[in-house]
Amino acid sequence: MSEDSLFSREERAISKAEAILDSLNCSPEQINAAFCELLTDYKKLYKQMSRLLKINDKNQLVLKDLTDELRRTSNILEKQNHELQADLKIAAEIQKQIFELDQQPSFLQIESLYFPHSHVSGDIYHMVNNLTDRVDIFLGDATGHGVGAALSTIMAYMVLIQHEDEPSLVRVMEQMNHIFVNHLPEDRFLSGVFLRIFNDGRLRISNCGHPDVLIIPASGAAPLMLNPSGPLLGIIPGNLIKFKEKEYCLSLGDLVFLYTDGLTEAFNNTYEQLGLTKVVALLREYRQLPLKEILSKLVTLQIGFTMNRPRDDDMTMIAVRYTGQ
């Protein structure tokens, strides 16, 4: 019985008693009968109220048990979250070390900027300086963000360090593609560009589905855009495709610029992308500035275009200047 029906019963009983008492023509028998009926109604009302109180007490106990369980679960989740944050911090530090170059080569100036979308990144930037005549630079961008994408970059990194002495860039890309095709889910793949720059200015490149590498001539001549020469890594089995390697020659002071699409695909409030045209124009205008200043101006360009809209992708930029032997 609902609370409203209980109150309705009580009101009817009280109204009935008041009507009897207000009547001057009631006999003692009528008064006695009315009070007996009223007493019966109150007994029923008392039983219902007692039943509701018991149900309420039971519900209070259930609610207390649920509250205690919720508190215990919350404490467990909080502890797990702290552990996860600590693990992510360690993972971020490991990724940061991968991005670091121990020693600048004598014939190049190299600077980079790295902005992960979350604690860990789906971008990978790895450099090998053999301290003699060449530097290898790899920049990749795995699908997605966060831990899943970061694990993909670690697999790419393992291939790179296992093949540091491999003379063929194509061979390294083939091995990386093999790993991704055979050991990662179908929706996990990687765009990657691999450069090898020699002290005599030769630049070899294998670009697999990655944004164009830009060469900005020191002379002010038109920029050179090195387009992809192969598909994304992890999309097609190696026996069905052939990766390519091309060679170019750098002149003294030429600027080489690599980036992930977090730079050019940044959106503003009207969902327009920054695009490559503005980036190329800035690089040409400020090509003779120190590399750190150039990268800083690119960040300022992006922030101004997006009106400081939060990033929705990882972003990595690498600027390289050939300074000669």
Side-chain angles (χ1 to χ4, degrees):
M1 181 180 292
S2 68
E3 185 176 346
D4 288 342
S5 63
L6 288 174
F7 284 127
S8 179
R9 179 188 290 274
E10 182 181 13
E11 289 172 355
R12 288 198 303 271
I14 293 173
S15 297
K16 188 183 295 183
E18 289 176 343
I20 293 172
L21 291 174
D22 288 342
S23 174
L24 298 177
N25 299 319
C26 290
S27 66
E29 289 78 9
Q30 288 176 316
I31 294 174
N32 183 63
F35 273 106
C36 287
E37 184 177 351
L38 179 63
L39 181 60
T40 300
D41 287 341
Y42 267 106
K43 285 181 179 179
K44 292 180 180 178
L45 179 64
Y46 176 78
K47 288 181 180 179
Q48 292 294 336
M49 289 297 292
S50 297
R51 187 175 67 84
L52 286 177
L53 287 172
K54 289 179 181 179
I55 293 174
N56 182 66
D57 290 342
K58 183 178 180 180
N59 287 340
Q60 289 295 327
L61 290 174
V62 172
L63 180 60
K64 183 179 181 303
D65 290 342
L66 289 174
T67 302
D68 292 342
E69 182 63 27
L70 181 61
R71 187 178 293 110
R72 285 193 294 270
T73 302
S74 177
N75 290 336
I76 292 172
L77 290 175
E78 184 176 359
K79 180 181 178 182
Q80 291 177 342
N81 182 60
H82 285 315
E83 293 174 350
L84 176 60
Q85 294 301 317
D87 290 343
L88 287 173
K89 185 176 180 180
I90 293 171
E93 288 298 322
I94 292 173
Q95 275 201 318
K96 185 178 178 181
Q97 290 178 14
I98 294 174
F99 276 49
E100 292 178 350
L101 177 65
D102 293 334
Q103 185 173 347
Q104 289 275 355
S106 60
F107 56 94
L108 296 175
Q109 296 172 353
I110 304 173
E111 293 291 346
S112 64
L113 277 181
Y114 161 61
F115 297 95
H117 177 256
S118 57
H119 288 83
V120 290
S121 172
D123 289 355
I124 174 174
Y125 156 38
H126 181 60
M127 194 175 310
V128 177
N129 178 11
N130 72 355
L131 302 179
T132 55
D133 65 341
R134 77 167 197 262
V135 170
D136 291 350
I137 302 173
F138 179 88
L139 178 61
D141 184 0
T143 51
H145 311 292
V147 176
L151 289 175
S152 299
T153 67
I154 294 300
M155 294 187 71
Y157 173 70
M158 295 304 296
V159 174
L160 291 170
I161 62 174
Q162 289 171 4
H163 295 81
E164 286 184 354
D165 297 325
E166 172 60 54
S168 169
L169 304 185
V170 166
R171 179 60 179 162
V172 178
M173 291 305 213
E174 288 174 344
Q175 288 299 311
M176 196 174 297
N177 185 68
H178 175 78
I179 292 296
F180 273 69
V181 167
N182 291 283
H183 299 286
L184 288 180
E186 292 183 358
D187 61 344
R188 292 291 175 182
F189 45 88
L190 182 91
S191 72
V193 59
F194 197 1
L195 299 183
R196 176 166 290 164
I197 304 176
F198 295 87
N199 59 358
D200 60 5
R202 285 178 297 133
L203 181 152
R204 291 179 183 168
I205 178 172
S206 182
N207 188 338
C208 297
H210 199 77
D212 297 345
V213 174
L214 305 176
I215 297 180
I216 310 297
S219 64
L224 183 62
M225 298 185 183
L226 311 186
N227 309 114
S229 56
L232 293 163
L233 298 164
I235 295 289
I236 305 172
N239 62 326
L240 300 178
I241 56 171
K242 185 175 181 179
F243 295 99
K244 297 178 181 179
E245 180 178 322
K246 298 181 179 180
E247 183 168 307
Y248 301 86
C249 188
L250 297 175
S251 298
L252 194 66
D254 283 354
L255 179 66
V256 182
F257 183 69
L258 303 83
Y259 60 96
T260 56
D261 57 16
L263 170 65
T264 54
E265 295 182 3
F267 288 96
N268 61 15
N269 291 334
T270 58
Y271 293 96
E272 296 175 302
Q273 291 185 345
L274 174 62
L276 189 57
T277 302
K278 296 181 180 65
V279 171
V280 172
L282 186 147
L283 290 171
R284 293 191 71 184
E285 181 178 359
Y286 298 110
R287 64 186 182 278
Q288 295 180 346
L289 288 181
L291 298 182
K292 283 186 178 181
E293 293 186 29
I294 294 175
L295 295 182
S296 178
K297 286 185 177 294
L298 285 168
V299 173
T300 301
L301 171 69
Q302 189 195 62
I303 291 174
F305 178 80
T306 62
M307 300 181 69
N308 210 22
R309 186 174 177 267
R311 300 183 189 280
D312 51 13
D313 197 3
D314 307 307
M315 183 178 80
T316 303
M317 299 184 293
I318 306 171
V320 181
R321 178 176 285 131
Y322 177 61
T323 58
Q325 300 184 53

